[in-house]
Amino acid sequence: MNKSTRKSAARSSSGRVKTIDIVNKGLKRRYGKEKRFRFYGLLSIIASAAFLAFLLTSIVSKGYSAFLQTYIKLDVPLEAGMLDKQNPGRSDFQGIIKEAIKDYYPGVTERQDKRELYSLFSSGAAFQLRDEVLNNPSREGSTISLWVLADDDVDMLMKGHIKREVPESQRRLSDKQLRWIERLEKDNRIEKRFNTTFFSAGDSREPELAGIWGAVKGSFYTMLVTLMLSFPIGIAAAVYLEEFAPKNLATDFIEVNINNLAAVPSIVFGLLGLAVFLNFFGMPRSTPLVGGIVLMLMTLPTIIIASRAALKAVPPSIREAALGVGSSKLQVVASHVLPLALPGMLTGTIIGMAQALGETAPLLMIGMVAFIVDIPGGFTDPSAVMPVQIYLWADSPERAFVERTSAAIMVLLAFLISMNAVAVVLRKRFERRW
Amino acid sequence: MSPLLLLLSLLVLSVAGFLIGQRKALNLAGSVGGTSRLHSLPVYYGALTALWCCLPAFFMFLIWLGFEQSIITALMVADLPDEVRALPPARLNVLINDIRSLASGNIVSGEITPLMRNAAAQYISLKGIGQMITSVIVLVAAVAGVLLVHRRIKPELRARNQVENVVMGLLVVCSTIAIFTTIGIVLSILYEAVRFFQQIPVTDFLFGLEWSPQMAIREDQVGSSGAFGAVPVFAGTILISAIAMFVAAPIGLMSAIFLSEYADRRLRAVAKPLLEILAGIPTVVYGFFAALVVAPMIRNSGAQLGIDVSSESALAAGLVMGVMIIPFVSSLSDDVINAVPQTLRDGAYSVGATRSETIMHVLIPAALPGIVGGLLLAVSRAIGETMIVVMAAGLSANLTANPLQAVTTVTVQIVTLLVGDQEFDSPKTLAAFALGLVLFFGTLFLNVIALTVVRKYRERYE
């Protein structure tokens, strides 16, 4: 015990209030406060995590079933004379399918009943038959046993989204239709298989015929345009601003502009695209070309800012050494600074591209929201992109589109996560501390 | 030649030009006694040739690409019969659009008349001629560039300096694209917005309390006459952004404080990527989630409590938007808190303050400008956010402060007004640009303040 504490102890025995007592008295309350504060911090992290988990599980639980699709086995008798002789591709396949269905359910004769019966099968069944016949022309005269697509209502029933117990008036399938389906089940003629249509088809109004391949290709072309424009331009701008630009009003103005553009709402870029590229320059609507240019303008600030940080991280000694052996300033940058900064620039670019891949709003403005069935084959074909496809499907009233939307989200998230993973690996692998 | 093919042949020509220039330089070097007698390395002579080959040609190509459509359309319209050209501009525009879609094989809005078919054929042939002329001009320019430089290549030609000047020019042009983008945004939005304000007075737009932009297209059509008072739209935007900030500001700030002051390395290694994933999820996914899961949940729990909740309530959109902004707030605050010098913390600890007291009484006051700046950026993000509100918020403009009712926002209105068929002279379409103008300058105002505050704050501790 040193002198001062002894003194204060002495004073406390004399009955006067001591500072240490006040401190000690408040200590419990203060520690409690400290604990609570810490708890709130932890709670907010947990809240974010819980929300993320909630979001992901609800999307996966809604979407995983879209990877399976209900098929019905149908025996199609291909009698001679049913096919068009000159042009087999233009035969009445719809009629042949209907005949086959009637053969399986001979008891159904009423017109209304027949219509209900046919509606159990997808309108895509005729196309399946057509492909089958065209691929094997010799099948005429025999009976083809074909697994055809079931209608989306049947699919929903098989996946349990339409309940059999509810009263007939509240379900999209009538009691009669249920009995027909039960017969198929008894004969083992209905089963769920892997949904190849989802990964190979374009958009469709019929959920069982709709796929994301068109949107994936559209996204691919759009991203290609964005990458080809924004990578070189972004790096050039970053190199100029970081390595060559004099400190003056003009470069300050450029910098303010870049920082500000990074925070401009994305939909404003869509307005720019609509007014300038579509209306003024008359570029084609709904195409990856215009979409790519608009997204390029949007991601450019991200890439420039990241690239400048990468250039800044290259130590000046590198530049001085190169200048010392007689390189010109441009040679210094091109053959010494750029290679060292490239991994950082690539990381920034990939992150910018991931942002662009998930962007929807500006593309709505330039007409990429149109209903497009064909799979795009180039930069000037009308096309959808994945986030817009998700938006369109989310707006569709059919129950079967809910699971397809969720599945498309899963595919999009898979792309985004792998892009970000590449960026992280790149950063880890090439990061250099000087 | 199609544009893509033309670009490819230009690329091939440039490579050829590079090789030709380099070869000539090497030959020259051989005759004058080694490459050291040349002013520049042989590569630079090649590069100079390639640049002269592709740059002027590419420039011409761009000019054609920019004006192709307007020139061809003008030529085609000039060939139309007089009585067609005398149509009112709106009808004529529809006709021109139809002819264009007919020419490109797309669906046409009306029925196809022989006149349109002729015009479409004319359009296609004009386009073909135009493409041919461009191809010839571009290729001739490319070859001429190569020949021109080839003749000039001599040992004393300062090839490196010339190439470097051109490259430097290109760098400058690339870095000014940000300026041109801003100018483009301002001019395009302003132009259309001014056309809107010629039809609807500015004061009606800014202070009117009624928003129903559906205009009757024909005179005899039943329907509202259209009202463009944007106050309910602004109020809805502010309501939803306020709900979002109510969620994002405390959670984001507390996460940042916890991560930078309390969490050990292991927890940080888990929590940071988690927030990054939250930031990387596309907004359309949040929108889907808000509309499909959160909104029904709020509605059902409201029904159980006996409260009537709209299925497109501002609360659902605001809550989900708030979650979307959490990582944004958290990463900005994290930067700001980390920038506070350690000495301030140490000083507080040394007088016996607990951690939370240090944070509340020292760190946050010191970091306040930065935090406020970050929050302002977050507000600007919330105001400009589109997909969540398009999918989860309502379309009808209600002037209400009740978060359980449906409200609409600026971005929702822009999307609904501009998606689908557009007529570029109806106030309905132009109103979207007026809203865009308000949105752009509103967020610009917030951003400029926020960025200045943050910069000032950084400078204080550097």
Side-chain angles (χ1 to χ4, degrees), chain A residues 341-394:
Chain A
L342 206 57
M345 292 173 159
L346 279 177
T347 315
T349 308
I350 292 174
I351 289 171
M353 297 303 291
Q355 238 175 51
L357 181 60
E359 195 56 66
T360 321
L363 301 179
L364 298 184
M365 297 288 94
I366 55 162
M368 281 193 124
V369 68
F371 173 70
I372 289 151
V373 178
D374 295 331
I375 290 166
F379 297 109
T380 49
D381 285 352
S383 64
V385 291
M386 285 176 63
V388 175
Q389 189 70 74
I390 290 169
Y391 168 65
L392 285 173
W393 282 354

Side-chain angles (χ1 to χ4, degrees), chain B residues 210-227:
Chain B
E210 189 82 31
W211 176 267
S212 61
Q214 302 308 325
M215 294 273 278
I217 296 169
R218 292 192 311 271
E219 290 295 318
D220 54 337
Q221 199 172 344
V222 185
S224 58
S225 58

Side-chain angles (χ1 to χ4, degrees), chain A residues 38, chain B residues 257-265 267-268 355:
Chain A
R38 194 192 156 101
Chain B
I257 290 172
F258 185 79
L259 284 180
S260 62
E261 301 294 317
Y262 286 106
D264 58 0
R265 184 174 300 183
L267 186 59
R268 237 198 318 261
R355 273 188 172 176

Side-chain angles (χ1 to χ4, degrees), chain A residues 184-198:
Chain A
L184 284 172
E185 282 173 327
K186 217 166 65 204
D187 293 355
N188 279 332
R189 279 179 172 272
I190 186 163
E191 69 176 38
K192 281 181 279 186
R193 303 172 146 205
F194 184 69
N195 190 355
T196 45
T197 320
F198 183 70

Side-chain angles (χ1 to χ4, degrees), chain B residues 72-94:
Chain B
I72 290 182
T73 307
L75 285 176
M76 180 196 74
V77 171
D79 279 356
L80 289 176
D82 283 338
E83 71 266 21
V84 176
R85 275 190 295 157
L87 285 173
R91 297 268 317 272
L92 189 63
N93 267 334
V94 172

Side-chain angles (χ1 to χ4, degrees), chain A residues 295-325:
Chain A
L295 291 180
M296 177 274 281
L297 294 178
M298 204 195 77
T299 47
L300 208 50
T302 315
I303 295 179
I304 294 178
I305 292 170
S307 303
R308 289 188 65 175
L311 285 169
K312 221 177 250 165
V314 177
S317 54
I318 302 274
R319 296 184 184 83
E320 281 149 17
L323 283 172
V325 295

Side-chain angles (χ1 to χ4, degrees), chain B residues 14 34 36 38 51 128 135 158 163 199 207 214-215 217 223 236 247 275 350 361-362 369 378 411 415 441 452:
Chain B
S14 306
S36 59
L38 298 177
L51 282 177
S135 308
R158 297 163 61 83
V163 169
Q199 299 180 34
F207 304 112
Q214 302 308 325
M215 294 273 278
I217 296 169
V247 174
L275 286 174
S350 69
H361 300 298
V362 179
T411 47
V415 169
F441 281 106
T452 334

